[in-house]
Amino acid sequence: MLYLGCPQWGSAHWKGRFLTRDCTNTQMLGQYAQIFNSVEGNTSFYADPSPETIVRWQQSIPSDFKFTFKIPKRISHQAALLNVTDDFKQWCQLFSPLFPYIGSVMLQLPKAFSPQHLSRLADFLTQFPAQLPCSVEVRNLGFFNKDKHEIALNQLLIKHNVDRVMMDTRPLFSEAPTTEAIIDAQNKKPKVPLHVISTGNSPIIRFVGCSDLPNNRAFYNPWLGKIRQWLSEGKTPYVFFHTADNHDSPLLARQFMQDLGLDHPVLQPFLAEKESKQNTLF
């Protein structure tokens, strides 16, 4: 199974382009889930949803949909994984109704989290519920030198069957900062080397595309073969598509799947396209 998605499940800019024109905020997840089978749940990074919201999310998706929620930044960034046992247990309890629909819980570590802090990560991984898949994204360059520090990180992740998130920002940084959206994205996204490795069963790619969609092909063409390889090995890849402002992320995902040559709902007409076609009949 290949899971495909975007870094969000709704945007006002998607109304009338991908989602229906009259789509409300509470309807966005349900409509998004008709196009994609996964999503980066970035909202959990900034704030905890209410239990009622958790239930509404669960009721909005089909049974084969998978979230990849981020661990709150108060745990990963502010506390830097120190003395977070109780907080993490409470967070897991809050999200437990969604456990069957979680493809991975993503731990995004800040740039300041260096190889000298690896023991903290080792301790934290032992706190994960057995039924909850985990992935880790590192941003400190000390983990990208192909030396003992990177080897230690990869071995730790392999030991716990944890996926190392691969952040591919090459397309984003290949274009000139000519718009506010590109400037903002280049300031926020990490410019780290791309090391392709699968340390668990569900390799995760976060692909940050450039504005000219066809120009992304030069960057993602090697991923096509790698994904086919992982699928042949029985792995379950996740690929999430970003653009500088995410206005065209669904179009980038569709182009990618057309080139990959595998069937996926993103290749079907978007809800907005169906709506537009129906309106032309009357």
Side-chain angles (χ1 to χ4, degrees), residues 3-63:
Y3 286 94
L4 216 66
C6 297
Q8 60 195 87
W9 59 65
S11 166
H13 297 280
W14 290 4
K15 293 182 180 182
R17 297 185 66 216
F18 314 121
L19 312 179
T20 61
R21 285 191 299 271
D22 60 354
C23 179
T24 65
N25 288 344
T26 57
Q27 293 172 332
M28 283 184 175
L29 176 56
Q31 291 200 14
Y32 171 95
Q34 295 181 50
I35 303 171
F36 296 100
N37 55 358
S38 189
V39 68
E40 286 187 24
N42 288 323
T43 56
S44 61
F45 184 71
Y46 300 101
D48 290 344
S50 67
E52 293 75 20
T53 297
I54 292 283
V55 172
R56 187 176 73 248
W57 288 347
Q58 189 275 326
Q59 294 173 343
S60 298
I61 59 172
S63 59

Side-chain angles (χ1 to χ4, degrees), residues 86-124:
D86 291 341
D87 192 358
F88 183 58
K89 283 182 178 179
Q90 292 172 7
W91 188 85
C92 288
Q93 181 60 38
L94 173 64
F95 278 82
S96 59
L98 286 175
F99 276 12
Y101 308 95
I102 293 180
S104 183
V105 170
M106 190 182 299
L107 173 63
Q108 180 183 294
L109 293 171
K111 186 177 181 180
F113 195 96
S114 69
Q116 70 181 20
H117 304 122
L118 192 61
S119 61
R120 297 186 195 177
L121 176 60
D123 291 340
F124 184 71

Side-chain angles (χ1 to χ4, degrees), residues 194 242-243:
L194 176 62
H242 302 233
T243 57

Side-chain angles (χ1 to χ4, degrees), residues 2 16 25 62 95 101 107 112 132 141-142 147 153 175 189 204 207 210 212 214 217 219 252 263 267:
L2 172 63
N25 288 344
F95 278 82
Y101 308 95
L107 173 63
L132 195 61
L141 293 179
D147 58 7
L153 169 66
E175 59 183 347
K189 300 297 184 185
I204 296 178
F207 186 89
C210 54
D212 190 329
R217 286 193 167 98
F219 296 99
L252 177 57
D263 189 34
L267 298 177

